Amino acid sequence: MNSAIRRLAVAAIILMLALMANSTYLQAFRANEINGRNDNNRVRDSQFSVNRGPILIGSTPIAKSDPSNDRFKYQRKYPSGPVYAPVTGYYSYLFGRGGIELTMNSELNGSDPSMAFRRIIDVISNRPQQGGSVTLTLNAAAQQAAYDGLAGKTGAVVAIEPKTGRILAMATRPSYDPNLLASHDTNKVAAAWKSLNADKNKPTSNRAVQELYPPGSTFKLVTAAAALSSGKYTPDTKVNSPAQLPLPQTTVPLVNEDNKNCGGSNNATLTIALRYSCNTAFGSVGLDLGAGALNAQAAKFGFGSRPMIDLPGVATSQFPGDPNEPQTAQSAIGQFDVQATPLQMAMVAAGIANKGEVMKPYLVQNVQTPDLKTVSETKPESLHQAVTPQVASQLTAMMVDVVNNGTGKPGRISNVQVAGKTGTAQTSKDRPPFAWFTAFAPANDPKVAVAVLIEDANVPRTDVAGGTLAAPIAKKVMEAVLGQ
């Protein structure tokens, strides 16, 4: 063999080895990723002919596959469409998947490694591939109450079981009908997709977890938690609470909404300051504690971390990185650059309700094979001890006072003690403020914590307030969970 032929042979062997190595790498490490890509037409055609498993609440399907007589064997359907769309997402031939349909795709189509034994049995017995079922933690009555409460408004609701982190409700408005995107008529699907994406109200956005908002006065719970945890404050500590609080480094003072001092006093207690949601009092506390303490307390409630993986695109709530003193005072009342999702503010209430322990929120309760064998079950998981049980008890009493005697009265439930906090977050001069309410009940044995955000209620700017717009919705959701 001459040298030229030897070089050619060596090159061929190297190329062959490289090809084998790449094939092995793709099969071993990237097969699921490539199969999951929305632009993989071969896999997409194959998956659309699979009897995809249902998404369930209890035994009720909120997404299911029915036999069809067209080019595919099954049609994906969503019986309650817009009510659950932010959670289920969609399953579309043209535009891929969203929500649980995306994050639990391999379980729903039966290709997940946890179902490998089932697939082997299917192959041996010549049965077609069938997907598993995904059961969610949602409470149907609470979800419907949340969706109905948001009618005519732009906003979101999240409800959590404080002791476990199970998400009981997650609704947004405006919503959309995922059946329009799951249709096998691609022309209609393309038109629906174009219309939804052209809508300035963003109906496909899950506002509960994907959008960030200034939390306004609901953030005063975090500031109060930091104050009580510092050892420098008790609920009865008197704080500086004038009508206007001069701020360092600026001639612009911090003011109370009504331009009056706090509950008739320039030195209200911390409890009274929370009852009437006095900006100057909490701005003063924030300046005393400093940005570092506020940031650390916010982190213990979940700010700065992605709180859950059950849904795609979950936003991370943020406390400003290095605010100066005026910015710190604004941050202490949930303004400046403080940004939070409704899920995050529900986690704050849930953490206080659960004796200071913040649980990891989750939507997927379990996954089962088609023959009802459980392959995975989500267990409650602790994220942080945000405050001590003693501080949580103090905050609970202060929040009960807000509902019984202060701005949260519309959240009261007959014969049930409710703990809550209102918020009205300023945005810009050309758009209305955001209305918030976060609460839990019963205060002495919490079963549900909820956060309601109203982005726009189509009412005059002067009528926007967390107590009047958001609290009645939270009340209905809590009543639904409690069976009132």
Side-chain angles (χ1 to χ4, degrees):
M1 185 182 294
N2 62 37
S3 60
I5 294 176
R6 281 200 301 273
R7 285 197 295 271
L8 184 60
V10 170
I13 291 171
I14 292 174
L15 288 173
M16 184 64 71
L17 291 174
L19 181 61
M20 292 173 62
N22 187 54
S23 298
T24 302
Y25 167 73
L26 292 176
Q27 285 294 331
F29 301 105
R30 296 194 59 199
N32 287 337
E33 174 198 337
I34 294 171
N35 286 339
R37 286 174 53 170
N38 288 333
D39 59 352
N40 190 331
N41 292 340
R42 182 183 59 80
V43 172
R44 183 174 57 178
D45 286 354
S46 173
Q47 291 188 352
F48 252 72
S49 296
V50 169
N51 186 4
R52 190 174 176 83
I55 301 173
L56 303 168
I57 295 180
S59 59
T60 303
I62 57 174
K64 60 179 184 176
S65 294
D66 288 345
S68 66
N69 297 319
D70 53 22
R71 59 181 290 203
F72 304 114
K73 296 179 180 177
Y74 297 95
Q75 170 66 63
R76 197 65 167 165
K77 292 184 177 178
Y78 304 86
S80 299
V83 179
Y84 294 99
V87 175
T88 62
Y90 53 85
Y91 186 62
S92 170
Y93 183 79
L94 289 182
F95 300 107
R97 299 166 288 269
I100 291 293
E101 294 278 28
L102 174 62
T103 57
M104 302 300 291
N105 179 56
S106 61
E107 289 85 353
L108 289 167
N109 68 27
S111 65
D112 192 74
S114 64
M115 298 179 183
F117 181 74
R118 164 77 189 199
R119 288 202 306 279
I120 293 172
I121 298 298
D122 287 344
V123 170
I124 294 173
S125 59
N126 198 31
R127 288 187 307 197
Q129 181 176 327
Q130 187 174 352
S133 62
V134 174
T135 301
L136 304 182
T137 59
L138 295 176
N139 175 309
Q143 181 74 13
Q144 192 66 52
Y147 185 76
D148 292 345
L150 292 170
K153 305 176 181 67
T154 300
V157 176
V158 178
I160 299 176
E161 186 176 68
K163 292 179 182 176
T164 62
R166 295 170 66 235
I167 292 179
L168 303 175
M170 181 177 287
T172 70
R173 290 257 193 157
S175 187
Y176 67 101
D177 186 355
N179 290 296
L180 299 175
L181 301 178
S183 169
H184 293 174
D185 185 329
T186 54
N187 290 330
K188 289 184 178 178
V189 171
W193 181 262
K194 182 178 180 181
S195 175
L196 288 170
N197 284 282
D199 191 332
K200 64 179 181 181
N201 293 313
K202 301 194 293 185
T204 58
S205 175
N206 183 349
R207 288 176 160 79
V209 297
Q210 293 179 333
E211 304 285 343
L212 292 167
Y213 304 90
S217 293
T218 56
F219 190 80
K220 289 170 183 170
L221 293 174
V222 178
T223 302
L228 295 171
S229 297
S230 72
K232 298 168 63 178
Y233 293 82
T234 72
D236 297 324
T237 300
K238 293 185 176 182
V239 296
N240 189 21
S241 58
Q244 296 188 353
L245 179 70
L247 297 176
Q249 305 173 23
T250 178
T251 58
V252 180
L254 185 64
V255 300
N256 288 328
E257 284 296 312
D258 57 3
N259 289 312
K260 298 178 181 177
N261 62 18
C262 189
S265 172
N266 288 330
N267 292 286
T269 66
L270 199 59
T271 295
I272 296 295
L274 195 72
R275 176 191 299 173
Y276 297 115
S277 198
C278 301
N279 290 339
T280 58
F282 281 92
S284 176
V285 171
L287 286 173
D288 177 46
L289 296 174
L294 298 179
N295 194 0
Q297 184 62 72
K300 290 179 180 178
F301 279 112
F303 283 72
S305 302
R306 188 169 181 242
M308 65 183 294
I309 60 173
D310 291 350
L311 291 173
V314 175
T316 299
S317 301
Q318 298 289 345
F319 186 84
D322 187 24
N324 61 26
E325 287 189 301
Q327 292 165 345
T328 298
Q330 291 284 349
S331 299
I333 63 169
Q335 295 284 170
F336 182 53
D337 281 345
V338 181
Q339 298 282 309
T341 62
L343 171 63
Q344 176 61 72
M345 297 318 298
M347 290 170 63
V348 171
I352 295 169
N354 192 36
K355 299 180 181 179
E357 185 177 17
V358 180
M359 304 300 290
K360 184 177 182 178
Y362 63 97
L363 265 170
V364 175
Q365 186 61 61
N366 62 51
V367 177
Q368 292 185 320
T369 61
D371 49 359
L372 303 181
K373 292 180 179 176
T374 300
V375 295
S376 66
E377 178 89 27
T378 307
K379 302 296 183 185
E381 181 181 343
S382 177
L383 281 180
H384 303 285
Q385 187 70 38
V387 294
T388 65
Q390 180 185 8
V391 168
S393 177
Q394 292 172 327
L395 287 168
T396 298
M398 293 166 67
M399 293 172 69
V400 168
D401 180 71
V402 169
V403 174
N404 288 344
N405 306 305
T407 56
K409 289 180 180 178
R412 289 187 290 192
I413 299 175
S414 179
N415 299 319
V416 176
Q417 203 170 50
V418 177
K421 180 68 191 81
T422 58
T424 306
Q426 302 300 322
T427 52
S428 60
K429 292 182 179 179
D430 58 351
R431 65 147 300 132
F434 298 137
W436 286 88
F437 187 67
T438 188
F440 59 87
N444 60 349
D445 184 20
K447 306 295 185 193
V448 55
V450 62
V452 177
L453 161 78
I454 303 300
E455 193 174 324
D456 191 354
N458 298 307
V459 299
R461 187 185 187 95
T462 53
D463 292 344
V464 175
T468 56
L469 294 179
I473 300 173
K475 173 186 174 182
K476 291 291 186 184
V477 174
M478 290 188 289
E479 287 177 333
V481 174
L482 300 176
Q484 294 287 306

